[in-house]
Amino acid sequence: MPIRILLVDDHSVARQGLRMYLSLDPDLEVVGEASNGEEGIEQARKLKPDVVLMDLLMPVMDGITAIQHLRKELPDVEIIALTSVLEDEKVIGAVREGAIGYLLKDTQADELCRAIKAAANGQVQLSPQAAARLVREIKAPDSPEKLTERETDVLRLLAVGRSNKEIANELIIGEKTVKTHVSNILMKLGLTSRTQAALHAVRIGLVSQ
Amino acid sequence: MTLLNPHEEPGMLPMEFSRLQEELQKRNAELAAANAALRETEQQLERRVEERTRELSTLLRVLQNITTTLELEPLLGLILDQLKEVVDYRLASISSLEGDDLVLLEQRGGDSPMLNERESLSEHPNTLKMLEAGKPSIIPDLNADTYLAGRVRGNIAKRGMQAVYAGSNSWMSIPLIAREKPVGALVLTHADVNYYTPARAELAMAFANYAAIAIENARLYKQAGDLAALEERQKLARELHDSVSQALYGIGLGARTARTLLEREPAKAAELLDYVLSLADAGLAEMRALIFELRPESLRTEGLVAALGKLVNALGARHQLEVTLEAG
């Protein structure tokens, strides 16, 4: 089963380029396109994609607002923020609202496919610099509940960038159980994404940066 | 017919009559003089009222002129020109207070205005005092042997401006006050000694109060205009950059795809490259649309209809819409 992708970007040239390029990889399938945040939410509801590539600066509804809505309504859909260099400060907002990661639009194209696959597998992939900055910029959870020992194990592995499958293999549990643990972790910490959970792990010293 | 009073001596009558006549003439003359004096006073009063009315209506007209001008540079010249209608001068200058310096902004009547010349207020204790007091300062006779006149003469000599000030015999400086703070000064000179009377000073002060507000407004207007233009330019620059980088991103991805296909399925690559080229066209059209916004040159050179046509094409290309333009 290929990873099902929704493209949300107001620039049709960028959208068409992405569609073309992603079509080369048989593991990826672009199932829909939208040209603003509002359309993006509608399409996501209808198509239930695995991953949404979300531009941030868009008319009608911007990407950050759309991410906020989508994470609440469809928590299983992972979102990668796509930004041009100028919207650098918006990246923080995207991660704060629950994007699993972000890609600059000048990122090498093969990186793009890798990042989409990682997101679909629940892997948090942040460069050390990005992680350091995000830890600084994104505030700690207000009143985190205590995690169980198992949940702490899952959080530690998630924070070093392991996929659901890898965590399952390492802890000798099912992949579905890993997902359940992750949902519980997010609920207990009051967070909306795996990336936020990973940043929390860095902040409390569960893993080193 | 003459009636005679039987009790009076007949010889007394003509005497009494002439005395009365004299008295009457004297009274009449007094009355005429009083009337003339009254007329004179009335006329004087009328003249003063007329003069005052004329001054006030001039002031009003002049104030309307200066308060409707928002461009700073023409405003300064206008202020000095209009001032001459309210209070006459041989030489007049307007300076603004910038920190502790007075900067000469505009001058009328001098041969060599040294515009933008900066002078420290510490060298002008008289001006400083005038600004602090918020009241006009008058030197009735520039050639008199007084401390103030001596200081002003000294300053003129120090700046080598004797030629400019030749023929100026009296002097008045007026503070420009806006929002209760001194923002500059007006300086006037006149050929006549004692020309600047308290009444003229009052008139000049009334004028200066409005002139200061007009200058402040013009300054704020300029600042607001600069800011708005800057914001608009930045917004367009951002959009242009965004448009360029998005289009290049899409085209780059397309070209990369074609490159990969060239190895896998060469037959499909050509078709794909055509598509990439169409993307490049669309990107170019979008950039043209933004450059059009930035600098609507075609509006000036080719007229509105042609410019709108270009805009319609660009918008159509950018949003992949079919747009038709009907222009009569």
Side-chain angles (χ1 to χ4, degrees):
Chain A
M1 269 272 279
I3 296 167
R4 305 173 72 249
I5 303 164
L6 172 65
L7 303 178
V8 187
D9 195 322
D10 62 325
H11 287 88
S12 62
V13 177
R15 236 166 35 227
Q16 289 163 68
L18 279 167
R19 183 184 268 278
M20 260 190 274
Y21 183 72
L22 297 177
S23 73
L24 285 176
D25 191 324
D27 294 336
L28 306 176
E29 185 192 356
V30 175
V31 293
E33 290 182 23
S35 63
N36 65 57
E38 208 172 270
E39 274 179 31
I41 294 174
E42 272 170 40
Q43 294 286 312
R45 266 187 211 130
K46 209 163 66 189
L47 300 167
K48 301 270 169 9
D50 299 308
V51 176
V52 175
L53 285 186
M54 180 80 78
D55 187 29
L56 294 182
L57 209 71
M58 288 183 291
V60 187
M61 183 194 278
D62 66 50
I64 292 177
T65 313
I67 292 172
Q68 189 187 7
H69 287 295
L70 277 177
R71 287 307 291 167
K72 270 197 204 121
E73 201 179 320
L74 304 164
D76 289 339
V77 177
E78 294 294 353
I79 304 165
I80 298 174
L82 260 187
T83 77
S84 66
V85 201
L86 283 177
E87 304 152 28
D88 190 35
E89 74 279 7
K90 290 211 160 48
V91 161
I92 308 290
V95 173
R96 189 180 288 131
E97 296 305 338
I100 192 166
Y102 64 89
L103 287 169
L104 291 180
K105 279 193 173 164
D106 55 6
T107 307
Q108 291 299 309
D110 28 345
E111 174 71 14
L112 185 65
C113 295
R114 215 164 53 78
I116 293 171
K117 288 175 187 171
N121 290 324
Q123 271 177 287
V124 176
Q125 297 200 315
L126 289 174
S127 69
Q129 300 98 304
R133 178 165 172 212
L134 290 168
V135 165
R136 258 201 326 274
E137 302 268 353
I138 292 181
K139 71 175 179 60
D142 284 336
S143 49
E145 272 179 59
K146 199 168 163 19
L147 303 180
T148 64
E149 208 171 309
R150 206 4 82 96
E151 284 162 356
T152 310
D153 291 338
V154 171
L155 179 59
R156 186 184 296 116
L157 291 169
L158 178 154
V160 295
R162 300 286 162 81
S163 67
N164 286 335
K165 200 170 179 179
E166 287 167 337
I167 297 172
N169 288 343
E170 201 149 329
L171 299 179
I172 321 171
I173 51 176
E175 216 178 312
K176 221 168 174 168
T177 315
V178 174
K179 284 188 180 172
T180 310
H181 280 312
V182 172
S183 312
N184 290 339
I185 292 168
L186 295 184
M187 205 179 59
K188 283 184 171 178
L189 299 179
L191 300 173
T192 58
S193 75
R194 290 163 178 262
T195 301
Q196 290 171 5
L199 293 173
H200 177 68
V202 171
R203 195 182 289 114
I204 63 172
L206 198 59
V207 294
S208 59
Q209 277 192 23
Chain B
M1 192 176 77
T2 312
L3 279 176
L4 292 176
N5 187 330
H7 303 288
E8 279 189 42
E9 295 279 337
M12 289 297 286
L13 266 177
M15 264 178 68
E16 181 65 3
F17 183 69
S18 69
R19 193 184 64 79
L20 278 172
Q21 228 169 9
E22 245 170 64
E23 181 74 5
L24 193 63
Q25 271 168 5
K26 207 171 114 198
R27 289 282 166 87
N28 272 338
E30 274 175 13
L31 197 64
N35 269 336
L38 193 65
R39 258 201 312 280
E40 175 76 8
T41 313
E42 263 178 8
Q43 277 170 357
Q44 262 179 15
L45 252 164
E46 254 171 47
R47 268 200 303 277
R48 273 169 62 190
V49 169
E50 256 173 39
E51 201 179 317
R52 195 77 186 143
T53 310
R54 203 171 48 242
E55 279 173 5
L56 286 176
S57 66
T58 306
L59 187 63
L60 205 65
R61 178 168 47 80
V62 153
L63 293 181
Q64 267 169 356
N65 287 342
I66 61 167
T67 46
T68 46
T69 304
L70 274 173
E71 302 283 330
L72 187 59
E73 274 165 36
L75 174 68
L76 295 170
L78 186 70
I79 284 175
L80 292 181
D81 292 340
Q82 298 286 316
L83 175 62
K84 200 174 175 68
E85 300 204 14
V86 181
V87 179
D88 191 30
Y89 58 75
R90 177 185 170 81
L91 211 72
S93 67
I94 189 164
S95 305
S96 76
L97 190 61
E98 289 174 17
D100 288 331
D101 291 338
L102 266 183
V103 182
L104 182 66
L105 296 180
E106 191 63 272
Q107 185 169 321
R108 285 288 187 270
D111 293 336
S112 57
M114 297 162 88
L115 293 188
N116 297 317
E117 189 192 35
R118 202 170 257 276
E119 285 180 284
S120 172
L121 259 187
S122 57
E123 288 169 42
H124 296 268
N126 179 31
T127 307
L128 184 64
K129 229 166 78 186
M130 180 270 297
L131 288 175
E132 279 170 353
K135 284 183 191 142
S137 161
I138 298 170
I139 301 172
D141 183 356
L142 261 186
N143 303 306
D145 192 15
T146 63
Y147 170 74
L148 274 184
R151 265 216 86 106
V152 171
R153 282 199 305 272
N155 266 322
I156 292 170
K158 204 170 98 190
R159 284 151 62 204
M161 307 268 281
Q162 291 98 325
V164 178
Y165 280 88
S168 288
N169 293 315
S170 56
W171 160 294
M172 172 163 72
S173 59
I174 308 276
L176 290 168
I177 296 167
R179 285 181 287 178
E180 294 173 11
K181 274 188 185 159
V183 293
L186 287 171
V187 171
L188 289 77
T189 72
H190 201 272
D192 298 351
V193 168
N194 290 326
Y195 182 78
Y196 294 117
T197 58
R200 286 186 172 126
E202 203 182 310
L203 215 53
M205 191 68 210
F207 174 86
N209 285 338
Y210 282 90
I213 294 169
I215 292 171
E216 278 300 286
N217 280 348
R219 281 210 176 116
L220 290 173
Y221 180 74
K222 187 171 184 297
Q223 271 175 15
D226 288 351
L227 203 67
L230 191 70
E231 270 174 13
E232 188 59 20
R233 265 204 300 277
Q234 277 173 343
K235 186 182 146 243
L236 279 168
R238 224 171 16 240
E239 279 180 13
L240 192 60
H241 182 282
D242 195 45
S243 159
V244 172
S245 59
Q246 304 276 9
L248 287 177
Y249 181 63
I251 293 161
L253 284 172
R256 192 179 283 265
T257 313
R259 174 80 183 80
T260 311
L261 273 185
L262 214 53
E263 290 159 13
R264 285 196 213 158
E265 295 173 79
K268 268 194 173 178
E271 193 187 328
L272 194 79
L273 277 172
D274 281 342
Y275 187 58
V276 173
L277 284 174
S278 76
L279 288 187
D281 286 343
L284 206 61
E286 184 179 324
M287 270 165 254
R288 282 209 191 100
L290 282 166
I291 289 167
F292 176 86
E293 252 183 90
L294 209 58
R295 214 159 26 115
E297 259 176 16
S298 55
L299 189 62
R300 206 171 47 214
T301 54
E302 294 163 49
L304 182 63
V305 174
L308 283 174
K310 281 190 178 176
L311 190 62
V312 160
N313 289 340
L315 284 173
R318 164 160 188 192
H319 299 289
Q320 292 176 315
L321 296 170
E322 203 160 301
V323 190
T324 49
L325 173 72
E326 284 177 40

